[in-house]
Amino acid sequence: MANVTILSHPLIKHKLSIIRDKSTSTKQFKECLDEIAGLMAYEISRDLETKEVEIETPICKCTAEVLAKEIVIVPILRAGLGMVDGIRNLIPTAKVGHIGLYRDEETLEPQTYYAKFPKEITEGTVILVDPMLATGGSLVAGIDILKGKGAKDIIYVGLVGAPEGIARVQATHPDVHIFLAALDEKLNENGYIVPGLGDCGDRIFGTK
Ligand code: PRP
Ligand code: URA
């Protein structure tokens, strides 16, 4: 699939299996999510641009490479928050914006309640984070908001995606690269990913 990368590293697979298990505690769920987010950040950061700078080591002057653009992490609340720490551990200079969205349980349509971004979203690389890509409504709405604020370079990082959601995002925002830990089978009649991991926000925060 164009613009979709499934990061099937053995450690990501192993930790995702723990996360999927319904007997996994809130504590262990969050710990594994942090670890997966860090591993995914390492993989996706391979493609970040670097630029040359002149530095002076204790021995001599030399040319070295640093990240060319600012990085802005934007979680979609609530569940996206669960992946921020793991990514920030690897890219501690990243700024963080927030988009507040929830899926209406009846219509499955996204409802926006919050949006705040650092100024770097217009020229930087935006890593949009949300563990679950189900119908794709939330992700499309999140990308719409970011582009409306001037973001031009956006990548998406999530845990589990359904084919329906991927197709919707590809049709609406083909420029946004999708990185997932797993591509699942389908959505059920309630819009949940099968086999999935249940309601990710509830599992991260211990609600319901
Ligand atoms: C979940 C998830 C995504 C959305 C995915 O959030 O974190 O944002 O559902 O579904 P979609 O692709 O069909 O839009 P939810 O609406 O449950 O809100 P929460 O994170 O606040 O629990
Ligand atoms: N949101 C979730 O948290 N889980 C799903 O399976 C679908 C949407």
Side-chain angles (χ1 to χ4, degrees):
M1 271 182 285
N3 262 2
V4 180
T5 304
I6 308 298
L7 297 170
S8 52
H9 189 288
L11 286 174
I12 294 177
K13 285 182 179 170
H14 180 87
K15 291 170 194 295
L16 184 59
S17 300
I18 296 171
I19 274 192
R20 286 188 194 273
D21 190 329
K22 70 177 185 182
S23 68
T24 294
S25 67
T26 302
K27 176 175 180 289
Q28 200 184 9
F29 189 98
K30 180 61 172 71
E31 286 168 356
C32 278
L33 189 55
D34 284 339
E35 290 164 4
I36 293 175
L39 291 164
M40 294 186 79
Y42 181 74
E43 292 285 341
I44 64 170
S45 55
R46 282 178 198 285
D47 298 328
L48 295 178
E49 289 169 42
T50 57
K51 65 179 179 189
E52 291 189 343
V53 291
E54 297 301 317
I55 61 161
E56 193 167 352
T57 75
I59 309 300
C60 66
K61 288 187 177 173
C62 72
T63 304
E65 289 181 64
V66 296
L67 291 179
K69 289 162 79 172
E70 296 278 353
I71 306 295
V72 180
I73 305 166
V74 177
I76 295 181
L77 310 183
R78 291 176 301 165
L81 285 174
M83 295 181 77
V84 172
D85 293 345
I87 301 174
R88 257 187 132 181
N89 283 342
L90 254 73
I91 315 174
T93 52
K95 306 285 192 313
V96 182
H98 295 87
I99 296 176
L101 279 180
Y102 68 91
R103 241 178 21 157
D104 181 290
E105 288 186 7
E106 300 293 318
T107 64
L108 301 183
E109 287 302 313
Q111 310 293 317
T112 308
Y113 58 86
Y114 186 76
K116 193 169 176 82
F117 308 108
K119 63 179 183 337
E120 288 81 359
I121 61 161
T122 55
E123 299 308 322
T125 298
V126 177
I127 304 178
L128 182 57
V129 187
D130 189 338
M132 309 306 283
L133 173 53
T135 66
S138 301
L139 185 53
V140 166
I143 297 169
D144 285 343
I145 292 169
L146 282 171
K147 288 186 175 174
K149 293 286 180 186
K152 296 182 277 292
D153 177 13
I154 305 169
I155 58 180
Y156 162 71
V157 184
L159 270 190
V160 180
E164 296 89 329
I166 291 174
R168 185 162 170 185
V169 176
Q170 282 180 321
T172 324
H173 295 293
D175 56 307
V176 175
H177 197 110
I178 294 170
F179 291 92
L180 289 166
L183 169 57
D184 275 12
E185 196 185 316
K186 60 179 181 182
L187 297 178
N188 70 12
E189 60 285 5
N190 299 316
Y192 277 84
I193 298 173
V194 180
L197 48 83
D199 187 307
C200 195
D202 284 348
R203 296 200 63 193
I204 293 169
F205 296 108
T207 44
K208 265 193 192 156

